[in-house]
Amino acid sequence: MNQEAQQISRWRAAFAESGPAPDPASCPTPETLWAAVRGELPAEPMREVVDHVAACSACAEDWRLAAELNRQEERAAMVPGKVIPGRFG
């Protein structure tokens, strides 16, 4: 068995050990996920979202996308706007 096949075999075993995927009905709403990514949730709801995301691959992907969008938004807010030199009086 080549190295790639061994790696795939290890991943399959790790996924099998992680247990069944959560019920999609238990997934947090997009608004809740977005608030969690931005750090706007109280401690207990945040813990519930993080625990869910750790077990749900679909929500983990949503989290990654939301986190990237949040980083881009924060970077855009730090970029100074175009300043037109002149006299304002």
Side-chain angles (χ1 to χ4, degrees):
M1 186 182 294
N2 66 25
Q3 187 176 3
E4 184 177 339
Q6 289 174 345
Q7 184 66 38
I8 291 170
S9 178
R10 285 194 296 268
W11 286 338
R12 284 186 179 143
F15 282 121
E17 290 174 13
S18 68
D23 176 16
S26 70
C27 293
T29 65
E31 294 80 13
T32 301
L33 195 59
W34 182 245
V37 165
R38 295 174 60 93
E40 298 170 349
L41 290 181
E44 186 54 33
M46 176 66 94
R47 194 173 3 266
E48 291 171 4
V49 170
V50 170
D51 288 346
H52 178 87
V53 167
C56 179
S57 61
C59 287
E61 181 62 19
D62 290 347
W63 179 284
R64 283 188 288 276
L65 291 170
E68 179 57 31
L69 287 172
N70 189 50
R71 278 190 293 277
Q72 289 177 9
E73 185 178 277
E74 288 174 347
R75 274 184 257 153
M78 289 191 274
V79 175
K82 194 173 194 178
V83 177
I84 301 172
R87 201 169 128 181
F88 301 94

